[in-house]
Amino acid sequence: MDGVKIKTINLSMLILIFLICAGVFASAFQLKSKYRQILAGVADYAQATKAVNDFRDTSDFLTNQARMFLVKLDESYAQKYFFEYSVAKNRERSCEVLTSLHDDDDATANMQLAFEESQVLTQTELYSIALAYNALGIKENLPSEIADIRILPTDLTLSYEEKVRKAEDLLFDINFQDSKGRINKYTAIVLDYVLTDHLKAQERDSIKFNRLLLIQIITIIAMFLAGLGLFITTNILVLRPLDYDIKSIRNEQKMHVVGSYEMRLIAKSYNALREKDEIKASVLKHKAEHDPLTGLINRAAFDQIKEVLSDTAEPVAYLIIDIDYFKSVNDKYGHLTGDAVLKRIAAILSEQFRNTDYVARIGGDEFAVIMTKFGDTPEMVIQRKIETINKMLQNVMDGIPCVSLSVGVAISTMGYNQTLEGQADKALYHVKQGGRCNCSFFSVETA
């Protein structure tokens, strides 16, 4: 059952009030008007919240398209970037919506700061895209968004790989991430201000609403006992659900789907928006922690795991895994095949290592693994795993060429420490000096 509509209640109230007195009629009219103001306030709040979230999502979309273009060098990502930047302009539209609802206040000021910070990011992103176009040798008929961008003389002297790497570094360095953080900080301030302003307005309207209702109750009780039933109905369908909903919003919980049709509709709409925001937050968190190509943990998440394991007293093994002659695979078969090789290696690593191990992609053709909870002979176990993996990679599958891995391993008996990575690097160098396609463990002899 969807509940009784307030309009139906108001019609019955009008008939009864007309028979009793004009005063009750006037009170009911004001009550209805105030309720509409509450609904309008909820709608404005939802619209303002959506505008801020759309702004944040669009900023992330631009960054993701720029990064995907640099990783895959597929112009379709750049075209999507340019379309959003120059045609769709959802960031600007979000700012206009918020300004129309919150003009000349802290929300508008912080939204402007977020937009200015986002503009700084777009300049960095456009420069990175322009540098990648230059690396690809595309100098004629450039998109208008990057046609006037001047590449620094020092960047023009870089090689193809160096230009691409430089473009990627610009979108992943600490300054870029800090700028992203400032955008999130400003938008969070905007959302907090919008919520606070909404709750204040809702509280004022609720006080006026209750006053009007009280006048109505007193008049009805005094003149006609039937008014008591009308009050109970109104209380059940409107006031109690509204009180539940206010508490739910303040406690950041889902609304109770109870009361009148309108209150149920508001609760359902609010709950749907909340679920959508939770899903978006979960997706963004997963994207932030995982490599988009292989699905493995990315470097940032891997660094966090290192910090956690540095506080433990359990033994860990640190593996640095390098694909032998991967550049020649890209040169011979192309980047799409190179991506397929990376995906296959990631799948095999995930299959061969346990759920208690942490497999990550930390660079273009470089992977890393942290193993925990192993027995007294980790060297034997790791050596066997690497041999098995290299045998699997020798089999051509779905046109993916065979490759091999060189692995350097360092083991600590007291959790992770910063020296492990350097030790594993030395062990990896020892493998490469010895002919590759093998596994080496750090020792004084390999140092």
Side-chain angles (χ1 to χ4, degrees), residues 304-346:
Q304 293 179 0
I305 292 170
K306 291 178 186 177
E307 292 182 8
V308 173
L309 294 178
S310 66
D311 294 331
T312 67
E314 298 181 358
V316 300
Y318 187 86
L319 289 71
I320 293 182
I321 303 171
D322 190 65
I323 306 174
D324 297 329
Y325 306 110
F326 183 68
K327 183 178 182 300
S328 63
V329 173
N330 278 331
D331 293 341
K332 183 176 181 180
Y333 299 98
H335 288 284
L336 291 180
T337 300
D339 289 346
V341 170
L342 291 173
K343 290 180 181 178
R344 186 185 181 198
I345 291 173

Side-chain angles (χ1 to χ4, degrees), residues 290-310:
H290 290 77
D291 173 50
L293 177 65
T294 64
L296 296 178
I297 298 171
N298 60 22
R299 179 180 286 275
F302 197 58
D303 289 340
Q304 293 179 0
I305 292 170
K306 291 178 186 177
E307 292 182 8
V308 173
L309 294 178
S310 66

Side-chain angles (χ1 to χ4, degrees), residues 25 38 49 69 107 115 125 127 141 164 175 181 188 200 228 230 234 284 288 297 303 317 331 340 379 416:
F25 173 81
I38 293 174
T49 302
F69 169 66
F115 180 79
E125 291 162 355
Y127 183 84
N141 298 322
V164 173
N175 292 328
K200 289 180 179 178
L228 179 61
L230 180 62
T234 304
L284 289 174
I297 298 171
D303 289 340
D331 293 341
E379 292 87 354
Y416 177 84

Side-chain angles (χ1 to χ4, degrees), residues 128-269:
S128 296
I129 293 173
L131 185 57
Y133 267 78
N134 185 273
L136 293 171
I138 304 174
K139 299 180 180 180
E140 301 295 334
N141 298 322
L142 290 173
S144 59
E145 290 80 3
I146 62 173
D148 295 332
I149 293 178
R150 302 297 181 186
I151 306 299
L152 295 176
T154 54
D155 291 344
L156 290 174
T157 61
L158 299 176
S159 65
Y160 167 83
E161 290 81 4
E162 290 172 335
K163 288 179 180 177
V164 173
R165 190 180 305 112
K166 174 66 179 295
E168 291 177 349
D169 289 343
L170 287 173
L171 299 190
F172 288 93
D173 65 12
I174 188 64
N175 292 328
F176 190 89
Q177 297 302 326
D178 287 344
S179 189
K180 272 287 184 184
R182 286 191 290 273
I183 292 176
N184 291 334
K185 182 187 74 173
Y186 292 139
T187 52
I189 292 173
V190 174
L191 288 174
D192 183 66
Y193 183 93
V194 169
L195 176 60
T196 302
D197 185 68
H198 170 68
L199 292 177
K200 289 180 179 178
Q202 196 172 50
E203 185 177 2
R204 291 193 300 269
D205 290 339
S206 179
I207 293 173
K208 294 179 181 179
F209 183 89
N210 288 325
R211 287 176 180 173
L212 291 173
L213 183 61
L214 180 61
I215 294 173
Q216 184 184 37
I217 293 171
I218 294 174
T219 306
I220 292 175
I221 292 176
M223 299 184 66
F224 194 67
L225 293 177
L228 179 61
L230 180 62
F231 163 71
I232 294 173
T233 302
T234 304
N235 185 66
I236 293 174
L237 295 181
V238 179
L239 293 182
R240 188 177 298 172
L242 186 61
D243 184 55
Y244 288 155
D245 293 342
I246 292 173
K247 292 179 180 178
S248 297
I249 292 173
R250 289 175 175 171
N251 296 328
E252 297 184 356
Q253 298 174 345
K254 289 185 176 181
M255 288 184 177
H256 298 278
V257 184
V258 295
S260 68
Y261 169 81
E262 289 86 354
M263 297 304 299
R264 290 170 180 261
L265 181 61
I266 292 172
K268 290 178 180 178
S269 300

Side-chain angles (χ1 to χ4, degrees), residues 91-110:
R91 294 178 305 152
E92 290 83 348
R93 294 180 182 178
S94 297
C95 291
E96 291 175 359
V97 170
L98 188 70
T99 300
S100 67
L101 298 172
H102 293 268
D103 190 19
D104 295 330
D105 58 23
D106 289 345
T108 304
N110 280 279

